[in-house]
Amino acid sequence: MAKPLQVEVYNPNGKYRVVSTKSMPGTRWINLLICTEKKTILSVEDIISLIGNKCDGVIGQDWGERLFSALSRAGGTAFSNMAVGYNNVDVDAANKYGVAVGNTPGVLTETTAELAASLSLAAARRIVEADEFMRAGLYDGWLPNLFVGNLLKGQTVGVIGAGRIGSAYARMMVEGFKMNLIYFDLYQSTRLEKFVTAYGQFLKANGEQPVTWKRASTMDEVLREADVISLHPVLDKTTYHLVNKERLSKMKKEAILINCSRGPVIDEAALVEHLKANPMFRVGLDVFEEEPYMKPGLAQMKNAVIVPHIASASKWTREGMATLAALNVLGKIKGYPIWADPNRVDPFLNENSPPPAACPSIVNSKALGLPVSKL
Ligand SMILES: NC(=O)c1ccc[n+]([C@@H]2O[C@H](COP(=O)([O-])OP(=O)(O)OC[C@H]3O[C@@H](n4cnc5c(N)ncnc54)[C@H](O)[C@@H]3O)[C@@H](O)[C@H]2O)c1
Ligand SMILES: O=C(O)[C@H](O)CO
């Protein structure tokens, strides 16, 4: 039996009842909706008790059959993940109960790519190790060999999954650090290729070494050739343990591996063994296989930089995610159609004008036969 919860209620006499299972930043989403809950991580039982007998929609994360069934019994038809990745949502169960599932694409792209770039730099230049050394009072004076790391300029950055975030990260590393690009994706990223070509021409015209790009035909090609490899695919059956013991062994001994996608894309136990055996190999991780836990040994590895799933944690992005999630739920409740292009959600984020009368991004709109907006 769930304990009674302290709930913050906005607009108690409102026509609809929408629940947010996590406290979200900013106020725009509240103005667009709702009520929120102070506690941060709720159990399934807590959420069911919050849904109660009447609930039109919910914003949350990690939803399965029991929650969709409870929402449907309470008359609800709308759920939005406050995230772009929805591997943590049982969309088949949502379809079964006729519940629309929203996500928050686009607004996280640059913020997440920036964290991947930050981890790349932190790993390459051993920033966390050096910070710990300094705080421990171990610094005696400048030494030629103190925390020597890797220069990125002229090296090769490898991107696995060159979608929105992977492409943004690739552009940052190519333009910011003049790295050459090799990428692997199921689809060609023509815009990214054009960007690198144009930047290479610009550098050449200025008498500098041009940057280059290559679309790899296999992932192993990226692993063999790149000096820094960043993972940005969705998590599904094809990407589970995409990086395993065998693939780690194909990477350069001094390579850097970054993961801001989903933890299970890497076999984390195999990674810990690889880090132990290869002290010059470095890793930057935002996500973990069994969050919030880490596999034994990872926390002790000096060659790992580890942060708690904060890739999308910039103020602008988190407020934007909350806004998109609220608009997904609100739009569905109001019977609005679905926005035609989830890669172009800017009109929903402009605080100076009312949002379009549409749901920004509903991932199961086709399965539910929901109409597409003509806007
Ligand atoms: N750490 C975080 O806080 C955080 C923040 C945002 C997104 N993410 C994760 O990043 C993922 C990507 O987000 P996005 O907006 O760039 O999505 P996206 O759909 O634009 O890009 C995903 C790319 O992965 C590619 N892909 C799919 N299967 C592949 C495979 N087997 N091999 C290689 N490439 C493959 C797709 O073709 C696509 O180009 C999300 O699904 C989410 O899980 C994490
Ligand atoms: O998929 C996402 O959006 C992230 O994991 C949350 O920032």
Side-chain angles (χ1 to χ4, degrees):
M1 177 75 172
K3 284 193 229 115
L5 296 165
Q6 238 201 323
V7 184
E8 196 166 341
V9 179
Y10 297 87
N11 191 18
N13 303 316
K15 183 170 165 201
Y16 303 112
R17 183 167 180 268
V18 176
V19 167
S20 171
T21 64
K22 292 187 181 181
S23 175
M24 302 195 290
T27 51
R28 188 164 182 241
W29 68 274
I30 297 172
N31 298 337
L32 290 161
L33 285 177
I34 302 186
C35 70
T36 185
E37 155 63 36
K38 285 246 159 83
K39 210 172 133 189
T40 49
I41 308 289
L42 298 181
S43 66
V44 168
E45 283 68 30
D46 281 344
I47 297 173
I48 290 174
S49 95
L50 268 178
I51 290 171
N53 298 325
K54 170 166 166 52
C55 183
D56 297 288
V58 175
I59 296 169
Q61 281 178 338
D62 303 313
W63 265 48
E65 167 112 30
R66 276 184 71 200
L67 290 173
F68 283 116
S69 151
L71 178 60
S72 163
R73 275 197 310 277
T77 58
F79 166 79
S80 185
N81 210 24
M82 190 191 164
V84 61
Y86 53 92
N87 56 287
N88 57 348
V89 178
D90 184 345
V91 180
D92 289 339
N95 291 341
K96 179 170 151 192
Y97 293 100
V99 176
V101 174
N103 72 339
T104 62
V107 69
L108 318 90
T109 300
E110 300 294 327
T111 296
T112 304
E114 283 180 14
L115 198 272
S118 310
L119 289 175
S120 306
L121 287 178
R125 300 304 302 274
R126 307 175 59 186
I127 288 175
V128 175
E129 275 179 86
D131 177 278
E132 283 171 1
F133 175 87
M134 197 71 196
R135 288 170 200 273
L138 297 172
Y139 183 47
D140 289 333
W142 190 91
L143 286 171
N145 287 324
L146 194 59
F147 294 110
V148 170
N150 303 358
L151 172 70
L152 297 180
K153 184 175 181 229
Q155 291 206 326
T156 299
V157 62
V159 172
I160 314 275
R164 286 176 291 246
I165 298 169
S167 291
Y169 168 83
R171 288 195 306 269
M172 285 175 196
M173 303 309 283
V174 168
E175 189 179 0
F177 306 105
K178 300 193 176 94
M179 297 185 82
N180 298 311
L181 171 69
I182 179 167
Y183 79 92
F184 176 72
D185 197 297
L186 310 179
Y187 302 96
Q188 184 174 12
S189 186
T190 317
R191 280 182 67 187
L192 178 59
E193 293 173 2
K194 280 188 182 158
F195 173 87
V196 184
T197 303
Y199 186 50
Q201 284 163 353
F202 168 82
L203 290 173
K204 199 169 172 196
N206 283 282
E208 289 190 62
Q209 179 72 23
V211 289
T212 60
W213 62 265
K214 174 165 148 190
R215 181 182 176 200
S217 50
T218 63
M219 183 179 148
D220 289 359
E221 212 177 317
V222 178
L223 300 179
R224 277 195 307 270
E225 292 183 22
D227 301 289
V228 179
I229 295 167
S230 197
L231 306 171
H232 297 284
V234 297
L235 171 62
D236 62 14
K237 276 186 243 143
T238 69
T239 59
Y240 176 81
H241 281 192
L242 196 63
V243 176
N244 55 18
K245 184 179 174 189
E246 190 202 338
R247 286 206 158 123
L248 284 163
S249 71
K250 294 188 171 152
M251 294 176 66
K252 295 182 182 177
K253 292 274 180 231
E254 295 192 8
I256 291 170
L257 176 66
I258 304 298
N259 190 11
C260 287
S261 61
R262 285 287 181 264
V265 172
I266 299 182
D267 176 346
E268 202 172 295
L271 177 66
V272 173
E273 291 314 308
H274 193 76
L275 286 166
K276 282 182 187 161
N278 298 277
M280 297 308 284
F281 182 92
R282 300 201 196 100
V283 71
L285 302 174
D286 179 55
V287 287
F288 304 88
E289 196 168 345
E290 287 167 29
E291 273 179 49
Y293 308 106
M294 283 183 281
K295 291 284 183 202
L298 182 58
Q300 284 72 45
M301 300 313 303
K302 289 267 181 228
N303 45 351
V305 179
I306 41 183
V307 294
H309 206 144
I310 54 166
S312 66
S314 73
K315 186 171 180 291
W316 182 83
T317 287
R318 286 285 166 86
E319 291 185 8
M321 288 163 75
T323 297
L324 291 182
L327 289 170
N328 280 329
V329 169
L330 184 71
K332 177 64 177 62
I333 290 172
K334 289 197 168 181
Y336 290 165
I338 313 305
W339 191 242
D341 185 358
N343 288 319
R344 206 174 41 84
V345 293
D346 293 15
F348 294 93
L349 302 169
N350 181 355
E351 306 228 2
N352 300 318
S353 60
C359 303
S361 179
I362 300 292
V363 303
N364 58 347
S365 57
K366 278 205 186 100
L368 298 184
L370 301 174
V372 175
S373 166
K374 298 202 172 34
L375 290 171

